[in-house]
Amino acid sequence: MSIRHTESPAPTTHASAGHHVVHHAHAAGQHPGHVRPASRDPFFDNAKLLLVTLVVIGHSWNLLPDASTSSPVYTFLYAWHVPAFVLVTGYLSRSFTFTRRNLRKLVTTIVVPYLVFETLLALFRTTVGHEDLGMLYLSPHWPMWYLSALFLWRLATPLFKRVPQPMVLAVAVSLVGGMNTLDWLDLPRTLGLLPFFVAGMTMRREHFEWLAQPRVRVVAAGLLVTAFVAATFLNGVSKEWLYWRTGYPDLGVPFWLGMICRAGVMLVAAALALSALSLIPTSQRWFTPLGSASLVVYLFHGFFVKGAEYAGLGGASEQDPITAFLLVTGGAVLVSLLLSATPVSRRLNRLVDPISTLTADMPGALHPTHHRIDTHRRLALAHNDPTRGR
């Protein structure tokens, strides 16, 4: 769902978020037109591309008959792919502090894209799809929940870094937060998924290196296979537990039972999310550079999915569900790769990061080459609603 990387105030190399920040050209005594490329950690770009592609796949499955969303593969995917994305987001956000620069970037890279795409997607859904969406902005629609949640998580980051046991506090907030039914800014889901963000925030690079050990990967693969088999026996369980968006009262369970169920789902999701991250390649691959455009993929894929829905693809899929499932899944992968391709993502980023784009050529701004590299580096999302469209 990128995760935009936070940066330290100084224009020096900063690796705490997993990637290095480029030195300003003038600070290095170079000509503004010659900028040294940034060095990135390929693992996180690989993870972002994989996870945002799974978001696109999960949303595309909503085009299929209801039987597809109750299938074991759907249950299996939604059990861990959003928590995994939130965990990576937390790791890449862990250097956020209440500085003027970070707060300004929080507005330009989270708040502004939220307002722009909440508006654009709403216009598309109401004018083309003739949907009635109700209140905008205070109640995020479909994938936009992730940006509102990321905004709140980022603001909470410095606070959680000051408490002695941040994970204990985050879990407590999540369990108690299940009583909340106020949907403003998708607060129930923000509170529910908070432990995964804090877990990523407190992790170090060595933890991910440990996950990549061969023996750990064997165990991880075994856990994922076991979870997939177990998903075949869970057709009667409400998927709302996996969406993290519904309070205990709306699920029809008492507070004590809701906390027990959420705690169980949380443990399973954590184990499977870490298992999935364990299997992600850590080295540079042909697709690694595409991971820097995860926010572009996240924000634009909804137009493709909704366009396919309005074209009647869901009805056509009822004739041959298996073929439709394969075609829709393959099409979702292609959409993700298309949107993340550099020639496409560079142009679409003008809408994703309009303020940086508009100010790039102003007097005193960074040289366009530097700006393009810096903007492309910061492209990162967040994740989809791994849940549903509203």
Side-chain angles (χ1 to χ4, degrees):
M1 93 185 156
S2 125
I3 309 165
R4 291 184 178 276
H5 307 277
T6 58
E7 300 177 23
S8 59
T12 55
T13 303
H14 175 59
S16 66
H19 292 146
H20 297 290
V21 176
V22 187
H23 289 281
H24 286 187
H26 67 270
Q30 297 174 320
H31 187 276
H34 298 84
V35 179
R36 185 168 56 84
S39 175
R40 300 178 62 95
D41 188 329
F43 168 77
F44 292 103
D45 280 333
N46 293 339
K48 288 187 292 181
L49 178 64
L50 170 65
L51 294 172
V52 78
T53 300
L54 291 177
V55 166
V56 180
I57 291 174
H59 281 165
S60 70
W61 285 347
N62 291 324
L63 300 171
L64 301 171
D66 291 340
S68 297
T69 58
S70 62
S71 66
V73 66
Y74 183 91
T75 302
F76 169 73
L77 177 65
Y78 274 87
W80 61 267
H81 81 298
V82 174
F85 209 100
V86 175
L87 188 150
V88 173
T89 302
Y91 178 82
L92 297 176
S93 301
R94 72 194 191 285
S95 63
F96 181 85
T97 55
F98 291 138
T99 63
R100 179 177 298 181
R101 175 174 179 172
N102 282 341
L103 292 174
R104 181 175 64 249
K105 290 179 65 176
L106 187 67
V107 172
T108 60
T109 61
I110 302 296
V111 177
V112 172
Y114 173 79
L115 296 175
V116 170
F117 280 87
E118 174 80 347
T119 302
L120 293 179
L121 194 55
L123 288 174
F124 182 72
R125 295 175 68 177
T126 54
T127 59
V128 179
H130 306 292
E131 297 185 50
D132 183 10
L133 300 182
M135 181 175 59
L136 296 179
Y137 308 118
L138 285 180
S139 180
H141 290 83
W142 200 15
M144 303 314 301
W145 74 268
Y146 203 87
L147 290 187
S148 66
L150 180 56
F151 173 76
L152 297 175
W153 289 333
R154 284 270 172 88
L155 289 179
T157 296
L159 305 178
F160 275 92
K161 289 166 67 175
R162 294 177 182 177
V163 299
Q165 298 293 334
M167 275 304 302
V168 174
L169 177 59
V171 170
V173 169
S174 176
L175 296 180
V176 176
M179 287 297 296
N180 175 58
T181 57
L182 181 64
D183 202 29
W184 286 9
L185 294 181
D186 229 319
L187 192 58
R189 189 149 39 192
T190 302
L191 298 177
L193 290 164
L194 178 63
F196 301 102
F197 182 87
V198 175
M201 186 191 76
T202 57
M203 290 180 70
R204 300 189 300 273
R205 188 63 182 87
E206 308 89 80
H207 294 138
F208 293 97
E209 293 172 355
W210 180 84
L211 289 174
Q213 294 181 17
R215 60 183 179 182
V216 177
R217 286 181 164 177
V218 171
V219 175
L223 285 176
L224 290 171
V225 171
T226 302
F228 181 80
V229 173
T232 61
F233 300 98
L234 297 176
N235 288 338
V237 178
S238 173
K239 300 299 186 298
E240 288 299 319
W241 291 105
L242 306 181
Y243 298 155
W244 304 88
R245 68 187 177 196
T246 307
Y248 306 148
D250 292 335
L251 287 169
V253 297
F255 177 62
W256 66 270
L257 181 57
M259 286 202 306
I260 293 175
C261 293
R262 173 165 285 192
V265 173
M266 192 182 301
L267 288 174
V268 171
L272 296 182
L274 292 174
S275 296
L277 293 173
S278 173
L279 301 180
I280 292 177
T282 59
S283 59
Q284 188 82 12
R285 304 297 174 88
W286 65 268
F287 52 81
T288 301
L290 304 181
S292 64
S294 57
L295 185 58
V296 170
V297 178
Y298 185 80
L299 292 177
F300 276 96
H301 81 275
F303 296 96
F304 289 84
V305 174
K306 282 296 179 180
E309 177 185 328
Y310 302 149
L313 181 60
S317 66
E318 296 180 358
Q319 301 176 4
D320 189 350
I322 296 178
T323 301
F325 178 84
L326 296 175
L327 290 177
V328 166
T329 303
V333 174
L334 291 178
V335 167
S336 180
L337 294 177
L338 172 65
L339 291 174
S340 58
T342 301
V344 177
S345 63
R346 183 188 301 130
R347 289 167 173 78
L348 295 181
N349 189 56
R350 296 171 183 173
L351 278 177
V352 173
D353 195 1
I355 292 182
S356 296
T357 301
L358 291 173
T359 58
D361 297 325
M362 293 177 61
L366 295 178
H367 186 271
T369 302
H370 188 151
H371 168 75
R372 183 169 61 252
I373 293 175
D374 183 67
T375 300
H376 192 66
R377 175 185 55 75
R378 290 188 293 104
L379 281 181
L381 158 94
H383 165 233
N384 141 150
D385 169 11
T387 62
R388 56 136 187 231
R390 288 187 304 177

